[in-house]
């Protein structure tokens, strides 16, 4: 294995993924991509999230101006599943309320797929976490919408923010629910010679 450190590029606009990478001391540069997100016919949620992560990483690699041997791109996608249905980003207040009512008092699954590519090879890992919500009242759901937090979150809540008050229990990786399972991402970074735990300025 080469001891030359590789430069990481993040093919994601998610502020939460960026913060998680910074949390474990990873230096990275964002790369802009445009990947359509639409479920294909007969595609399972697992297949969908895995395909999107791989497609984002590979699109990020193609977007590099002069991709070289010491460059690696990370792509990721996170989604929630309840009763086999995707928990998508809410399309308005009524949709957000519908999502949160469906999760109230029940457990749902959050899946994140993480893909790393160096142009020659690509690795993809899929992580699942069970999240149990307490019973939510209609007034809480309405108040939560007006905080603005649910708007851009899959499932209409953010566990790392105000939505933490809804979560009774999680089984599995917490960082996975935020958007990047660090316990799975770190070994992948090591495999591709991307250092973490770097000193902070």
């Amino acid at each position: 294995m080469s001891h030359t450190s590789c430069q990481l590029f993040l093919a994601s606009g998610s502020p939460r993924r960026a913060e998680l990478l910074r949390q474990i001391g990873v230096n990275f540069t964002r790369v802009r991509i445009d990947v359509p997100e639409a479920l294909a016919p007969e595609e399972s949620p697992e297949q969908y999230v895995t395909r999107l992560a791989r497609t984002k990483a590979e699109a990020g690699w193609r977007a590099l101006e002069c991709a070289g041997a010491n460059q690696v791109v990370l792509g990721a996608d996170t989604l929630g599943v309840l009763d086999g249905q995707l928990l998508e980003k809410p399309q308005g207040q009524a949709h957000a309320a519908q999502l949160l009512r469906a999760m109230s008092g029940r457990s749902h699954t959050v899946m994140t797929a993480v893909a790393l590519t160096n142009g020659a090879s690509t690795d993809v890992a899929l992580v699942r976490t069970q999240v149990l919500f307490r019973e939510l009242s209609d007034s809480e759901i309405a108040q939560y919408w007006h905080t603005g937090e649910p708007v851009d979150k899959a499932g209409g809540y953010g566990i790392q923010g105000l939505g933490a008050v809804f979560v009774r229990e999680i089984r599995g990786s917490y960082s996975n629910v935020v958007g990047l399972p660090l316990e799975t991402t770190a070994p992948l970074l090591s495999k591709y010679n991307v250092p973490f735990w770097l000193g902070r300025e």
Side-chain angles (χ1 to χ4, degrees), residues 5-9 27-29 70-73 193-195:
S5 292
C6 289
Q7 181 183 11
L8 183 69
F9 291 85
N27 291 333
F28 61 91
T29 303
N70 292 330
Q71 294 177 316
V72 177
V73 179
N193 291 333
V194 176

Side-chain angles (χ1 to χ4, degrees), residues 11-110:
S12 169
S14 164
R16 293 167 290 280
R17 287 195 189 109
E19 183 53 40
L20 285 165
L21 286 172
R22 290 189 198 102
Q23 179 185 319
I24 59 167
V26 177
N27 291 333
F28 61 91
T29 303
R30 284 192 190 273
V31 58
R32 292 180 64 86
I33 56 165
D34 185 17
V35 172
E37 299 187 11
L39 191 67
E42 307 301 317
E43 194 173 35
S44 71
E46 289 87 350
Q47 290 168 330
Y48 176 51
V49 73
T50 301
R51 173 175 64 81
L52 279 181
R54 179 187 293 275
T55 303
K56 288 177 179 181
E58 291 172 349
W61 177 261
R62 289 192 299 273
L64 297 183
E65 287 183 11
C66 49
N70 292 330
Q71 294 177 316
V72 177
V73 179
L74 186 155
D77 197 72
T78 302
L79 55 81
V81 181
L82 180 69
D83 298 332
Q85 299 298 306
L86 297 186
L87 297 169
E88 299 173 295
K89 292 177 184 176
Q91 285 153 16
Q93 183 174 359
H95 186 212
Q98 180 188 342
L99 289 168
L100 290 167
R101 268 192 223 104
M103 290 185 283
S104 174
R106 299 188 59 203
S107 180
H108 61 276
T109 303
V110 176

Side-chain angles (χ1 to χ4, degrees), residues 110-171:
V110 176
M111 290 188 278
T112 301
V114 184
L116 265 75
T117 186
N118 60 8
S121 63
T122 303
D123 280 79
V124 186
L126 177 66
V127 178
R128 296 177 182 82
T129 302
Q130 298 297 319
V131 181
L132 173 64
F133 268 25
R134 63 172 173 81
E135 297 281 349
L136 311 182
S137 69
D138 285 346
S139 63
E140 275 184 309
I141 289 171
Q143 282 179 295
Y144 183 51
W145 172 261
H146 290 298
T147 68
E149 188 174 88
V151 175
D152 67 337
K153 309 285 193 303
Y157 76 98
I159 194 172
Q160 75 289 350
L162 304 171
V165 301
F166 298 151
V167 179
R168 184 180 295 283
E169 182 182 341
I170 70 167
R171 294 182 184 176

